[in-house]
Amino acid sequence: MTTALSPVDPDSYRALMAAHPGGVAVVTTDDGLGTPYGFACTAWCGVSLDPPLLLVCASTTGSTLPVLAGRGWFAVNLLHGAGRRAADAFAHRDAGRFSAVPWRPSPATGLPLLPEDAHTAAECRVHRLDPVGDHTVIIGEIVRTTTTRGADQPPLLYGMRRYATWPVP
């Protein structure tokens, strides 16, 4: 027997999502004139090997999504354990987030990269945008990856409402 059920409330949803850690990334783009935009996220994953696709989820009310959609390009900066300052800077809607962390434009695409806080970056061309609820699923085709000097550090994780790093063997 099936009964009509209502969706869980926002607090229950947040508690569910906080209970399982995820890797922290900062998604970046620019307006084509050099002004950078970005946000922190743990909602990202691989999608396909052939073609090489990944996805990230962006709030529909954030300032980055319309710029990313217009530009058609974005980078996913995967943070290492010492990259918490970037996670904190990009977790809030603050116009000064790029002044809080060192960044540089990619020589290939011009996208903002965070070489001191990320162990790896994937530069992507937008493959598809799918609005879902209060977010948009962005699927990107990976055209370039960069590994930085932080590659030997464990990844930054976020779960249970706190940061942690992968244990080093």
Side-chain angles (χ1 to χ4, degrees):
M1 173 166 63
T2 333
T3 18
L5 297 172
S6 298
V8 298
D9 61 88
D11 290 336
S12 296
Y13 176 81
R14 285 185 191 99
L16 171 71
M17 299 311 291
H20 189 78
V24 182
V26 172
V27 177
T28 58
T29 192
D30 69 22
D31 63 3
L33 301 172
T35 303
Y37 291 79
F39 61 91
C41 83
T42 56
W44 65 272
C45 68
V47 173
S48 168
L49 179 62
D50 185 21
L53 301 175
L54 60 73
L55 72 76
V56 298
C57 296
S59 170
T60 56
T61 61
S63 61
T64 302
L65 180 60
V67 175
L68 187 154
R71 173 86 151 78
W73 289 86
F74 65 98
V76 180
N77 296 269
L78 305 179
L79 301 186
H80 54 64
R84 184 170 172 179
R85 69 176 170 180
D88 288 338
F90 286 87
H92 306 288
R93 294 179 187 207
D94 176 15
R97 35 181 99 126
F98 280 93
S99 62
V101 297
W103 66 279
R104 67 171 172 77
S106 162
T109 61
L111 293 167
L113 302 179
L114 309 177
E116 292 188 24
D117 295 294
H119 60 78
T120 305
E123 296 170 62
C124 304
R125 175 182 16 245
V126 172
H127 179 76
R128 183 174 174 163
L129 299 169
D130 287 318
V132 180
D134 60 1
H135 277 64
T136 294
V137 176
I138 304 161
I139 298 177
E141 180 179 23
I142 304 167
V143 299
R144 183 173 188 262
T145 61
T146 305
T147 302
T148 67
R149 62 188 166 121
D152 58 342
Q153 296 187 41
L156 183 64
L157 305 173
Y158 185 78
M160 298 179 282
R161 304 194 194 287
R162 65 180 185 262
Y163 292 105
T165 55
W166 193 270
V168 178

